[in-house]
Amino acid sequence: RFLRGWSRPLYLVVMLDFIIAQASTSWETPASAWVTVIHAVLMLLLASAWLAPAFLYLSAGLGALALFQWVELLGAPAEALSVYFSYLALGYGLVGYGVQLYQNARNLPVWLASWARPLQRSGLSLSFGVLFFTIVLGFDLATWTARAIFGMPFREIVAISTVQMTVSVFSLLGLLYLSDALVYRRIRQSYVAVGMLLVGWLLFAFFTQAWDGLRQVQWYAIPTGLYLLGVSALEWFTGSKRLARGLDYAALFLMLGSLFWQTLVLGWQFALLLGAAGLGIFLMGSARRLRRFFYAGILAVVLATLGQLINALQAVNQWVSFGIIGLLLVGAAILVERNLDDIKEWQESIEDWE
């Protein structure tokens, strides 16, 4: 039956050409990588034309093989290989989940809708292998962390490349698992995914940036926090309010915690950035009538002021510092007492907020 019709023998020739070309090319030349890329695209076209999921899995596997060939040609270390494959797994997953979400909202062509599950499963399968490979390569990270917790010397033995690999893999795969959890409403998995993002942030802040004055932490925390806030808003509007709250708290902790930490270490520039972030979050909470953002914005402004005050007081006499802090606390208590009725009225006005 395969030979019925004039096109069938041509497909047979294509398959034979695919096998011969893939088996005969050398892995040590750019041409071999291009051959694999072309075959991956060819399998994708056949899968779309025939609605054959098996060819989509084959295409995804060939894409991973092509990436491996390019990495080998570049002579990249094993740590870089894990990061590149994490990007590929995230890319497969995001395309698959995006197609499925778009399909739920409006009808897509059948050939495009057939991409969803194979790409999702290919991304997840690839991510499990990457995660196992990363744990093997980064096994010493647990020892370094334990030594740091118990105050033992550790900086001389830390390999920064291993830490950077772990941070990148945990961050990228955390986003992948979070996307999977949101699409299929897996609440517990979303907690694990957010936990991976937080672990990546802590490792990045402590091992990678602590020795450089923490100057680049916000470039990890702020984009990740904004991603979480965006996903939270989508979940909120679709009715998943419990999950949205958890994502909001994680995003606020990442962004505001990082900036407050930098304020204490680096000074007034990051205090201004923390105050600006707090003002933005305060306005967002007011617009969406969400108390957690409203209070978090106020807290961020207070922390920015407090952090800058602590930095200023560190340069003066200790007793003078205690005296100034005591006067501020007494003044704050008097201010609250004088305006207690107004505070109660204001609190009652936002009781109906979420």
Side-chain angles (χ1 to χ4, degrees):
R1 294 181 58 186
F2 183 78
L3 296 177
R4 291 180 183 177
W6 66 270
S7 63
R8 296 298 190 267
L10 295 179
Y11 287 128
L12 181 60
V13 172
V14 167
M15 292 303 169
L16 291 175
D17 177 79
F18 164 79
I19 295 172
I20 295 172
Q22 196 66 47
S24 61
T25 54
S26 172
W27 280 40
E28 300 177 355
T29 62
S32 63
W34 280 115
V35 167
T36 307
V37 170
I38 293 171
H39 286 164
V41 175
L42 176 62
M43 293 301 106
L44 180 64
L45 293 176
L46 291 178
S48 302
W50 294 347
L51 301 180
F55 283 89
L56 275 169
Y57 290 112
L58 180 57
S59 176
L62 289 171
L65 177 60
L67 177 61
F68 180 79
Q69 288 175 306
W70 283 115
V71 172
E72 285 292 308
L73 288 172
L74 294 174
E79 291 84 0
L81 184 65
S82 293
V83 177
Y84 291 145
F85 273 97
S86 296
Y87 276 111
L88 184 63
L90 179 61
Y92 283 163
L94 291 183
V95 173
Y97 298 124
V99 168
Q100 180 161 337
L101 290 175
Y102 199 84
Q103 173 68 14
N104 294 337
R106 60 183 69 182
N107 292 327
L108 286 176
V110 178
W111 65 267
L112 183 57
S114 66
W115 290 13
R117 296 307 290 271
L119 287 179
Q120 294 171 20
R121 291 172 178 171
S122 297
L124 290 175
S125 300
L126 186 60
S127 73
F128 297 147
V130 171
L131 199 58
F132 175 78
F133 189 59
T134 301
I135 292 174
V136 173
L137 289 179
F139 188 78
D140 290 335
L141 187 59
T143 303
W144 303 334
T145 304
R147 292 175 67 89
I149 291 174
F150 291 105
M152 301 172 64
F154 68 95
R155 294 192 179 188
E156 295 78 8
I157 61 175
V158 170
I160 294 299
S161 60
T162 301
V163 178
Q164 292 173 336
M165 172 199 67
T166 307
V167 170
S168 299
V169 170
F170 271 52
S171 303
L172 295 170
L173 297 188
L175 296 177
L176 174 64
Y177 298 150
L178 180 61
S179 301
D180 181 79
L182 296 177
V183 170
Y184 292 105
R185 297 293 186 269
R186 296 166 178 162
I187 304 298
R188 293 182 179 178
Q189 181 177 319
S190 68
Y191 296 150
V192 175
V194 173
M196 292 179 67
L197 295 175
L198 294 177
V199 169
W201 171 75
L202 290 172
L203 292 174
F204 182 81
F206 183 76
F207 284 103
T208 305
Q209 289 299 317
W211 303 334
D212 190 30
L214 302 173
R215 292 188 177 274
Q216 306 299 325
V217 171
Q218 75 275 6
W219 295 113
Y220 173 87
I222 293 179
T224 304
L226 292 176
Y227 176 86
L228 293 176
L229 289 178
V231 173
S232 169
L234 292 176
E235 290 299 304
W236 184 266
F237 291 126
T238 56
S240 303
K241 294 186 176 181
R242 179 183 175 186
L243 179 57
R245 290 191 194 96
L247 295 175
D248 286 340
Y249 289 133
L252 292 173
F253 174 76
L254 271 175
M255 293 191 296
L256 301 183
S258 298
L259 290 174
F260 180 61
W261 191 357
Q262 289 175 300
T263 297
L264 294 177
V265 176
L266 300 173
W268 64 270
Q269 298 96 331
F270 292 94
L272 290 177
L273 188 57
L274 177 58
L279 180 61
I281 291 171
F282 172 82
L283 294 176
M284 184 171 63
S286 301
R288 292 178 58 188
R289 300 178 67 84
L290 297 174
R291 282 181 292 179
R292 57 183 175 275
F293 287 104
F294 187 80
Y295 291 140
I298 296 175
L299 178 62
V301 175
V302 172
L303 288 176
T305 306
L306 179 62
Q308 190 58 21
L309 177 63
I310 291 174
N311 290 334
L313 293 179
Q314 286 177 348
V316 300
N317 184 274
Q318 183 178 10
W319 296 107
V320 175
S321 301
F322 288 154
I324 293 175
I325 293 173
L327 290 175
L328 289 174
L329 291 176
V330 172
I334 294 174
L335 184 63
V336 170
E337 185 179 3
R338 293 282 182 88
N339 298 276
L340 190 58
D341 293 336
D342 294 336
I343 293 174
K344 288 182 178 179
E345 182 179 352
W346 168 73
Q347 186 177 8
E348 291 174 357
S349 67
I350 63 173
E351 282 296 325
D352 59 337
W353 290 16
E354 179 65 35

